[in-house]
């Protein structure tokens, strides 16, 4: 289990992501991270081992005005609790958070290593991130790359991701792990459950 949050709108994303992660901390708390992106595709990736409070401290010294971002609080299944294994994972163009387990990640990893991908973490999630990057490089179509990658994956997932080239777009998908969308005025939230959206919106869509 873990917690996923996301935001796309006009407000600063960092405090919204941090407060959402604090509410989701009961789902997992061995590390946490957020990635935000500005309109010029500059990404700020902050990750910390331990509780969301550790991450929050980092954010106070790296404050950004970015209005789009994703965040994660981790409950490790593949790879020890560490900053290196913390989400969001970043490979090439793609930044991604994941709740769940990719069962066939070893086979996919071997295929990607044969295509010159290096891996910085021990997680199944980084493999999925690399797989999406690989397919995205081929097609330049993010939706098609995500759909193609998820057809190759065996396992359970809730994911949220963005690509550096598309700073206005977050893609999400789920199978087996929960994910909801909260709709506000000119803004959209993503979360593992509605508790993360308290104070923001009570208009919630449950993805099936
Ligand atoms: N399998 C992923 C990992 O170990 C995600 C675990 C989770 O759901 O927090 O990093």
């Amino acid at each position: 289990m873990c917690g996923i949050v996301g935001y796309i709108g006009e407000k600063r994303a960092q405090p919204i992501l941090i407060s959402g992660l604090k509410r989701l901390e009961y789902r997992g708390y061995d590390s946490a991270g957020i990635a935000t992106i500005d309109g010029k595709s500059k990404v700020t990736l902050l990750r910390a081992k331990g509780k969301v409070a550790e991450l929050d401290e980092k954010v106070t010294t790296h404050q950004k005005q970015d209005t789009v971002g994703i965040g994660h609080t981790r409950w490790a299944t593949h790879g020890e609790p560490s900053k290196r294994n913390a989400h969001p994972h970043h490979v090439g163009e793609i930044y991604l958070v994941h709740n769940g387990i990719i069962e066939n990640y070893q086979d996919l990893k071997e295929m990607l290593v044969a295509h010159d991908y290096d891996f910085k973490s021990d997680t199944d999630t980084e493999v999925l991130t690399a797989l999406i990057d690989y397919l995205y490089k081929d097609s330049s179509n993010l939706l098609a790359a995500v759909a193609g990658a998820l057809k190759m994956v065996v396992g359970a997932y809730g994911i949220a991701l963005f690509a550096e080239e598309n700073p206005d777009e977050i893609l999400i998908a789920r199978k087996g792990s929960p994910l909801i969308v909260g709709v506000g005025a000119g803004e959209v939230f993503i979360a593992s459950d509605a508790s993360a959206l308290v104070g923001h919106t009570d208009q919630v869509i449950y993805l099936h």
Side-chain angles (χ1 to χ4, degrees):
M1 236 175 40
C2 78
I4 286 177
V5 291
Y7 178 76
I8 184 158
E10 286 169 5
K11 299 186 189 126
R12 279 189 61 224
Q14 283 180 333
I16 294 170
L17 298 174
I18 291 289
S19 74
L21 289 180
K22 283 186 176 162
R23 288 179 191 273
L24 292 177
E25 204 160 27
Y26 75 91
R27 296 177 62 87
Y29 47 80
D30 59 46
S31 63
I34 58 172
T36 57
I37 184 163
D38 71 14
K40 293 183 179 139
S41 290
K42 187 170 182 325
V43 177
T44 301
L45 174 62
L46 300 169
R47 303 186 298 175
K49 188 176 174 202
K51 293 198 159 202
V52 177
E54 314 283 330
L55 177 67
D56 199 3
E57 255 177 54
K58 280 200 175 178
V59 172
T60 54
T61 53
H62 294 83
Q63 294 198 15
K64 298 287 169 190
Q65 299 304 316
D66 310 357
T67 60
V68 176
I70 53 176
H72 187 267
T73 169
R74 181 170 184 243
W75 184 252
T77 66
H78 293 66
E80 57 170 13
S82 64
K83 185 180 166 199
R84 194 168 64 86
N85 287 331
H87 304 212
H89 285 282
H90 170 215
V91 179
E93 273 283 320
I94 308 297
Y95 291 79
L96 179 143
V97 293
H98 166 224
N99 172 14
I101 292 174
I102 307 301
E103 285 166 23
N104 59 338
Y105 80 103
Q106 281 293 8
D107 291 344
L108 294 169
K109 194 170 187 173
E110 277 168 31
M111 183 277 280
L112 290 160
V113 166
H115 285 90
D116 293 332
Y117 276 87
D118 287 330
F119 289 89
K120 297 171 278 199
S121 81
D122 306 314
T123 62
D124 50 340
T125 303
E126 190 185 12
V127 175
L128 175 58
T129 313
L131 181 61
I132 293 171
D133 182 68
Y134 172 66
L135 297 175
Y136 183 51
K137 283 203 171 107
D138 200 42
S139 68
S140 293
N141 179 331
L142 188 57
L143 184 59
V146 173
L150 294 178
K151 279 196 190 123
M152 296 167 73
V153 153
V154 178
Y157 51 81
I159 58 170
L161 66 114
F162 62 75
E164 256 168 29
E165 279 180 6
N166 296 26
D168 302 331
E169 210 170 63
I170 294 176
L171 266 72
I172 60 172
R174 72 167 285 257
K175 180 184 177 188
S177 304
L179 209 53
I180 64 166
V181 177
V183 183
E187 57 189 357
V188 176
F189 303 83
I190 300 149
S192 296
D193 72 42
S195 68
L197 304 185
V198 172
H200 294 300
T201 181
D202 49 14
Q203 277 196 59
V204 174
I205 299 165
Y206 289 83
L207 298 186
H208 293 296

